[in-house]
Amino acid sequence: MRDMSKSAARFNARAFLESAGVSKKIVEYARSEGIFSQGDPGDSVFYLQKGGVKLSVLSKAGREAVVAMLGPGDFFGEGCLAGQTVRIGSATAITPATVLVIAKDEMVKVLHEQHELSDRFIAHVLSRNVRIEQDLIDQPFNSSEKRLARALLLLARYGQQDKPRQTVPKISQETLSEMVGTTRSRVNFFMNKFKRLGFIEYDGDLDAGIQINSSLLSVVLHD
């Protein structure tokens, strides 16, 4: 059986889709620009080529919850392939982003015909489901400090980058608080603590991004 994790790591979706003759369009999004909104028709699948995207849902009371943060190489909006006729959440660029937009019918066709893309896509869906499940488990059992550390490591794509340090693009403390499920003041407190201990580096209000050091993992592993 093919090692899907290795296949996924070297897979270039844009080049593959071009070689397969798949009809698509490339869209550039500015920071904070909406890609799709909750309730929009589900008629396409997206592939994030550059930048960062957050997936969120809005409750009836108007409260937003961040479901996932995505980086280059991630597919999203794939719920339309499973019968979702409307979007059950929203996708917003958190940095300038380059996105490939593939019509649902085109995506279904290429998944049936091209096994390499099918492997990459299945690997993505499985790994993201595991990550979201871990996030749900994380909420009731771990402190907000650990949840914030884990969120920052995920944003830095820890484990996918062979570097001791990785820079996360600018992200607001408000967004971090939504991801972690705590207040902005608590996020500010822990960010200052992480900075003081040398786990992260940033200036001002995160304008230049956040440098995440692998030593931050000690917060997650500490009992």
Side-chain angles (χ1 to χ4, degrees):
M1 182 176 178
R2 191 181 307 176
D3 185 336
M4 289 195 296
S5 62
K6 291 182 180 179
S7 176
R10 63 175 179 266
F11 187 80
N12 183 324
R14 179 175 177 178
F16 187 87
L17 291 169
E18 287 174 348
S19 68
V22 177
S23 177
K24 66 193 180 307
K25 61 181 178 180
I26 301 172
V27 184
E28 302 284 344
Y29 292 94
R31 180 178 177 273
S32 300
E33 186 175 359
I35 298 170
F36 59 76
S37 298
Q38 196 165 318
D40 284 353
D43 54 10
S44 52
V45 177
F46 302 82
Y47 177 79
L48 182 56
Q49 185 180 2
K50 294 180 182 178
V53 168
K54 74 172 180 178
L55 302 182
S56 61
V57 294
L58 196 65
S59 71
K60 291 181 179 180
R63 183 176 179 181
E64 183 185 47
V66 176
V67 176
M69 304 294 283
L70 309 179
D74 283 334
F75 286 96
F76 60 104
E78 68 274 11
C80 66
L81 302 177
Q84 290 179 0
T85 57
V86 297
R87 303 294 183 190
I88 62 172
S90 300
T92 307
I94 58 171
T95 68
T98 302
V99 179
L100 305 186
V101 184
I102 309 143
K104 172 185 172 181
D105 291 344
E106 286 281 338
M107 192 67 182
V108 170
K109 179 182 177 183
V110 78
L111 286 174
H112 280 132
E113 295 177 352
Q114 305 290 344
H115 292 165
E116 188 177 3
L117 180 62
S118 296
D119 281 356
R120 172 66 177 87
F121 189 74
I122 291 169
H124 156 74
V125 171
L126 291 175
S127 72
R128 216 189 59 212
N129 283 351
V130 168
R131 192 172 73 191
I132 292 174
E133 184 179 75
Q134 289 173 338
D135 288 341
L136 291 172
I137 294 171
D138 197 41
Q139 286 286 340
F141 293 109
N142 286 325
S143 67
S144 53
E145 181 177 12
K146 281 190 178 182
R147 296 200 305 271
L148 176 60
R150 183 171 182 272
L152 291 171
L153 289 165
L154 286 172
L155 286 170
R157 305 181 82 71
Y158 182 81
Q160 299 179 36
Q161 303 284 347
D162 191 23
K163 300 177 182 178
R165 297 181 179 182
Q166 185 71 13
T167 300
V168 173
K170 175 181 177 180
I171 182 170
S172 70
Q173 291 191 0
E174 182 178 0
T175 297
L176 286 172
S177 68
E178 291 168 354
M179 291 177 65
V180 174
T182 189
T183 63
R184 183 173 178 175
S185 62
R186 293 292 286 170
V187 166
N188 184 61
F189 173 81
F190 290 127
M191 291 291 286
N192 287 330
K193 178 181 177 180
F194 294 163
K195 183 178 180 181
R196 186 173 68 253
L197 293 173
F199 297 151
I200 65 174
E201 299 172 32
Y202 67 90
D203 294 317
D205 190 26
L206 316 183
D207 285 343
I210 314 168
Q211 183 172 280
I212 309 296
N213 299 327
S214 58
S215 56
L216 181 61
L217 186 62
S218 64
V219 177
V220 177
L221 298 178
H222 180 70
D223 288 329

